[in-house]
């Protein structure tokens, strides 16, 4: 995980403000560097003005055997790369070690080849643009980046097509253009999420700046209309990017679809494809600071005890060394409104242990111990008093901008404290030993995000099927997948990365998502399926919910019947971050 900042200004260098610089350091504690480039930039009046391009990068080093500081700068051309991502594959080939330098070399090669050929670069297939597009199209993995091609005087910036890394853009009060991993400034109105529609490009040989009188003197502002977008396309097209995610399979069954069971071929293939996605994300992880091989793990799971995260924990057991612990981070909040209601009803027990996610978390922890007794599972109970929630609330609101609703805050609070990883640890290999204060050293956090969207896990999917059958269900799944980057991933990335940790999303691997969206809908969930006849290989599936049925069957196959039957629960209700104060508040209400 890294922090990125860029500015373009005709009034001198513009650096991130002090608060933003501190937040960028939190994202990337291993390195911070600044690079500035001066160049003349054209205005609307066909004249050019001296301008400064400022690049800032912080680095959380996760791969390779050494820290690769950023921004990367080519001494010969003065081209610059700020990279925040994980390239798991390039052109379909897995890569190990540091990916940043490799990608920079490919981009420089694309720029130099175009320069040597003497070709001009245009959006409709010109040499430089096409070669850069080809490099970006070849990358599999989450990323956001800024690449300045000094040879052709172009700036490229984007997020991957799913939006798994945060990147924001906006204008400040002086008219300077900024791109940043998080909002730079006190107002959320200046910044928007960079769209996941394609790679965005600024060509400095065209009209990039404009004269704008804002007081007694004229100043030069950035012209937002100068940003061009090279869109993702499902088919190859010159000057466009190849979208790794194909269109949704919209076929509907002509009759009642066949029963989906534990031994169905698609269930076995689902397990194997998820294992392959997970292996890229948890194998060959560098030892984090403070790591002690005899007692620590390198990987932790954001763990509610629900279906999606528990499957990831269970499959991680198949991939990680036998002597490596796996941390299960389970967060529960003191909710004064819920506590008051419990007091009136004379309910006993800890306010934290009565949280729904704590109950399911401990049950799933027990099931993991039973099915994988050789593994040391470390359950980390993260208890957050109400006073601590209030103390950190402004920071959470600052990180999640430009998102600004009650629901955003509830979800962000849960992820913020869970990813801090600080609580009381219970080790499965230590029997009934007392819990110990513990902070996970793991920098890799596994998240189950994406499973609900891909496999129809929300209540609205059942409602869509009830209203409009399979066509309505497919429409709802397609909508959910298409808006993941805008609704969830940027916000979640900004909150989790604050602790110098990196969330990884095995359900959102490009190859995995491609396979799921091309599968017929009846192989993903159980709506409209025939009633099972008897038992399926001695494992009863008659009471398995239709939501995410294929994943539930994987859990059954892996020996976790209770997890397979666990009901879906939103994180804000499971951890009890929702509706902490009295009053009629809706999740969609804007924060004051």
């Amino acid at each position: 995980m890294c922090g990125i900042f860029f500015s373009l200004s005709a009034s001198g260098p513009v650096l991130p403000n002090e608060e933003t610089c501190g937040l960028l350091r939190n994202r990337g504690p291993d390195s911070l560097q600044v690079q500035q480039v001066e160049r003349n930039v054209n205005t609307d009046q066909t004249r050019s003005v001296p301008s400064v391009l400022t690049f800032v990068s912080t680095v959380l080093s996760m791969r390779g055997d050494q820290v690769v500081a950023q921004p990367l700068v080519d001494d010969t051309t003065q081209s610059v790369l700020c990279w925040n991502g994980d390239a798991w594959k390039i052109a379909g080939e897995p890569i190990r070690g540091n990916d940043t330098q490799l990608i920079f070399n490919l981009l420089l090669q694309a720029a130099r080849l175009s320069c040597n050929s003497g070709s001009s670069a245009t959006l409709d297939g010109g040499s430089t643009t096409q070669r850069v597009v080809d490099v970006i199209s070849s990358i599999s993995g989450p990323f956001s980046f800024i690449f300045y091609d000094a040879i052709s005087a172009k700036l490229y910036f984007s997020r991957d097509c799913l939006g798994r890394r945060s990147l924001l853009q906006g204008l400040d009060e002086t008219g300077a253009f900024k791109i940043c991993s998080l909002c730079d400034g006190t107002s959320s109105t200046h910044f928007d999420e960079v769209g996941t529609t394609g790679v965005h490009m600024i060509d400095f040989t065209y009209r990039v700046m404009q004269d704008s009188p804002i007081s007694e003197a004229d100043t030069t502002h950035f012209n937002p209309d100068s940003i061009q977008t090279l869109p993702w396309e499902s088919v190859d097209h010159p000057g466009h990017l190849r979208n790794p995610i194909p269109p949704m399979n919209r076929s509907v069954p002509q009759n009642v679809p066949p029963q989906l069971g534990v031994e169905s071929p698609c269930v076995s293939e689902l397990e194997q494809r998820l294992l392959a996605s997970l292996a890229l994300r948890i194998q060959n992880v560098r030892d984090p600071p403070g790591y002690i091989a005899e007692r620590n793990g390198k990987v932790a799971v954001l763990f509610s005890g629900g279906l999606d995260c528990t499957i990831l924990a269970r499959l991680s057991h198949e991939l990680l060394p036998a002597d490596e612990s796996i941390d299960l981070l389970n967060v529960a909040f003191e909710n004064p409104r819920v506590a008051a209601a419990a007091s009136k009803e004379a309910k006993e027990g800890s306010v934290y242990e009565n949280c729904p996610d704590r109950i399911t978390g401990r049950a799933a922890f027990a099931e993991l111990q039973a099915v994988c007794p050789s593994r040391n599972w470390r359950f980390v109970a993260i208890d957050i008093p109400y006073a601590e929630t209030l103390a950190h609330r402004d920071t959470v609101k600052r990180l999640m901008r430009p998102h600004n609703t009650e629901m955003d805050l509830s979800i962000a609070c849960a992820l913020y404290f869970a990813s801090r990883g600080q609580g009381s640890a219970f080790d499965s290999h230590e029997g009934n030993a007392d819990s110990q204060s513990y902070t996970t050293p793991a920098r890799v956090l596994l998240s189950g995000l994406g499973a609900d969207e891909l496999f129809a896990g929300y209540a609205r999917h059942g409602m869509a099927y009830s209203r409009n059958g399979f066509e309505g269900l497919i429409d709802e799944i397609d909508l959910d997948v298409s808006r993941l980057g805008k609704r969830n991933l940027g916000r979640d990335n900004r909150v989790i990365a604050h602790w110098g940790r990196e969330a990884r999303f095995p359900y959102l691997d490009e190859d995995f998502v491609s396979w799921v969206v091309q599968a017929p809908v009846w192989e993903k969930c159980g709506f409209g399926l025939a009633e099972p006849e008897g038992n399926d290989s001695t494992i009863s599936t008659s009471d398995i919910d239709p939501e995410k049925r294929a994943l539930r069957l994987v859990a059954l196959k892996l020996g976790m019947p209770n997890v397979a039957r666990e009901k879906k629960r939103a994180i804000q209700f499971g951890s009890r971050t929702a509706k902490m104060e009295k009053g009629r508040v809706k999740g969609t209400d804007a924060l004051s």
Side-chain angles (χ1 to χ4, degrees):
M1 190 66 61
C2 303
I4 290 175
F5 174 88
F6 166 82
S7 68
L8 169 63
S9 172
S11 58
V14 175
L15 291 163
N17 66 24
E18 183 177 355
E19 179 193 29
T20 301
C21 194
L23 295 175
L24 290 172
R25 282 184 178 274
N26 288 341
R27 291 177 62 92
D30 298 331
S31 169
L32 183 149
Q33 287 192 164
V34 179
Q35 176 70 18
Q36 293 181 338
V37 177
E38 296 182 2
R39 69 162 304 116
N40 289 331
V41 178
N42 290 342
T43 72
D44 288 342
Q45 282 70 43
T46 64
R47 66 180 178 85
S48 61
V49 295
S51 301
V52 180
L53 286 66
T54 300
F55 303 85
V56 181
S57 281
T58 62
V59 174
L60 177 72
S61 184
M62 304 287 288
R63 302 171 68 179
D65 56 5
Q66 62 183 355
V67 176
V68 176
Q70 296 188 47
L72 293 183
V73 182
D74 180 51
D75 292 335
T76 303
T77 65
Q78 293 302 295
S79 295
V80 181
L81 174 66
C82 299
W83 171 260
N84 173 22
D86 285 303
W88 303 118
K89 298 178 184 177
I90 294 181
E93 294 297 321
I95 63 173
R96 291 187 178 183
N98 188 273
D99 54 339
T100 308
Q101 187 66 61
L102 174 59
I103 290 167
F104 191 40
N105 291 341
L106 291 172
L107 291 170
L108 290 176
Q109 183 181 24
R112 287 168 177 158
L113 283 172
S114 301
C115 179
N116 293 337
S117 69
S119 302
S120 61
T122 62
L123 274 174
D124 58 356
S127 182
T128 300
T129 299
Q130 185 60 60
R131 291 181 189 277
V132 170
V133 160
D134 289 344
V135 172
I136 302 305
S137 295
S138 71
I139 300 172
S140 296
F143 61 79
S144 63
F145 75 94
I146 301 169
F147 172 57
Y148 171 55
D149 174 10
I151 297 175
S152 298
K154 288 180 171 61
L155 185 86
Y156 300 88
F157 63 98
S158 190
R159 305 158 69 195
D160 66 79
C161 64
L162 290 169
R164 290 163 289 184
R165 292 287 186 267
S166 170
L167 200 63
L168 305 167
Q169 67 181 56
L171 297 176
D172 70 9
E173 295 83 352
T174 70
F177 177 59
K178 295 179 179 179
I179 306 170
C180 192
S181 297
L182 37 83
C183 289
D184 178 41
T186 58
S187 172
S188 62
T189 59
H190 293 148
F191 281 82
D192 295 307
E193 302 262 13
V194 169
T196 58
T197 52
V199 168
H200 311 286
M201 184 187 77
I202 301 171
D203 187 341
F204 293 115
T205 64
Y206 288 88
R207 297 174 177 176
V208 175
M209 309 299 281
Q210 60 187 1
D211 290 333
S212 300
I214 60 173
S215 60
E216 295 180 359
D218 287 347
T219 60
T220 304
H221 285 205
F222 175 76
N223 177 15
D225 293 336
S226 66
I227 301 175
Q228 304 173 66
T229 299
L230 291 68
W232 300 100
E233 297 286 356
S234 56
V235 295
D236 290 335
H237 187 279
H240 291 58
L241 293 106
R242 181 189 60 81
N243 192 334
I245 311 301
M248 185 76 63
N249 183 339
R250 307 195 71 85
S251 60
V252 298
Q254 299 302 309
N255 300 300
V256 176
Q259 177 61 34
L260 193 61
V262 171
E263 295 185 351
S264 298
C266 61
V267 173
S268 296
E269 187 172 3
L270 168 57
E271 179 188 353
Q272 293 308 309
R273 286 182 176 272
L274 191 53
L275 264 172
S277 169
L278 189 59
L280 288 172
R281 287 158 174 81
I282 66 172
Q283 292 182 330
N284 304 305
V285 173
R286 181 196 292 175
D287 293 355
Y291 177 76
I292 302 172
E294 292 76 18
R295 67 180 300 269
N296 289 149
K298 301 178 187 178
V299 174
V301 184
L302 297 173
F303 191 74
S304 66
L307 174 69
D308 314 326
C309 61
T310 309
I311 286 179
L312 295 182
R314 172 65 181 84
L315 291 178
S316 295
H317 170 73
E318 305 296 327
L319 298 168
L320 292 175
D323 59 350
E324 193 170 302
S325 297
I326 299 176
D327 289 353
L328 308 174
L329 309 180
N330 181 273
V331 67
F333 287 77
E334 177 190 11
N335 185 314
R337 185 181 57 83
V338 175
S343 177
K344 288 182 179 179
E345 297 174 10
K347 289 185 178 180
E348 297 182 357
S350 162
V351 66
Y352 305 112
E353 293 301 311
N354 283 333
C355 272
D357 278 4
R358 179 58 51 80
I359 295 169
T360 57
R362 290 203 182 277
F365 175 47
E367 198 156 32
L368 285 170
Q369 292 178 77
V371 74
C372 306
S374 62
R375 173 75 57 184
N376 182 46
W377 302 96
R378 180 176 292 117
F379 187 88
V380 185
I382 302 168
D383 298 340
I384 309 300
Y386 180 59
E388 191 169 9
T389 300
L390 292 180
H392 287 257
R393 181 172 287 180
D394 285 345
T395 300
V396 176
K397 290 166 69 174
R398 170 69 176 82
L399 290 168
M400 74 183 197
R401 289 173 182 162
H403 293 261
N404 191 46
T405 69
E406 292 287 348
M407 182 184 295
D408 287 315
L409 180 60
S410 296
I411 295 171
C413 272
L415 293 173
Y416 175 87
F417 284 105
S419 58
R420 186 174 65 172
Q422 179 180 315
S424 300
F426 300 80
D427 283 43
S428 60
H429 280 184
E430 293 185 10
N432 296 321
D434 293 337
S435 62
Q436 301 291 323
S437 295
Y438 178 78
T439 299
T440 182
R443 284 183 160 187
V444 172
L445 306 183
L446 295 178
S447 167
L449 186 65
D452 287 308
E453 289 78 5
L454 287 167
F455 292 91
Y458 294 116
R460 62 174 177 271
H461 292 119
M463 295 171 61
Y465 176 78
S466 298
R467 289 193 304 264
N468 297 308
F470 283 107
E471 291 88 349
L473 176 59
I474 292 168
D475 286 342
E476 195 70 22
I477 295 173
D478 198 14
L479 176 63
D480 277 343
V481 174
S482 69
R483 63 187 181 185
L484 264 171
K486 185 174 182 179
R487 294 190 71 188
N488 304 80
L489 289 164
R491 175 200 65 205
D492 296 354
N493 174 256
R494 292 189 291 278
V495 170
I496 293 171
H498 179 71
W499 301 109
R501 308 188 197 278
E502 180 176 289
R504 294 181 177 175
F505 307 100
Y507 292 105
L508 294 180
D509 176 82
E510 288 93 337
D511 290 343
F512 183 78
V513 174
S514 297
W515 176 76
V516 175
V517 301
Q518 290 178 92
V521 68
W522 58 87
E523 290 186 356
K524 294 180 269 196
C525 51
F527 298 105
L529 297 185
E531 292 296 323
E533 298 180 3
N535 289 349
D536 182 6
S537 277
T538 73
I539 301 176
S540 174
T541 61
S542 59
D543 57 346
I544 298 295
D545 286 344
E547 293 86 0
K548 298 188 290 192
R549 184 178 178 88
L551 284 175
R552 295 181 184 279
L553 294 172
V554 169
L556 269 183
K557 192 168 180 285
L558 292 169
M560 301 185 296
N562 295 328
V563 169
R565 293 169 172 82
E566 189 59 54
K567 302 293 183 183
K568 164 65 185 175
R569 185 186 303 111
I571 185 173
Q572 65 269 34
F573 298 113
S575 63
R576 288 187 170 158
T577 57
K579 299 182 178 180
M580 285 197 167
E581 289 83 21
K582 294 181 179 179
R584 296 180 178 273
V585 177
K586 297 180 180 178
T588 54
D589 288 348
L591 298 169
S592 57

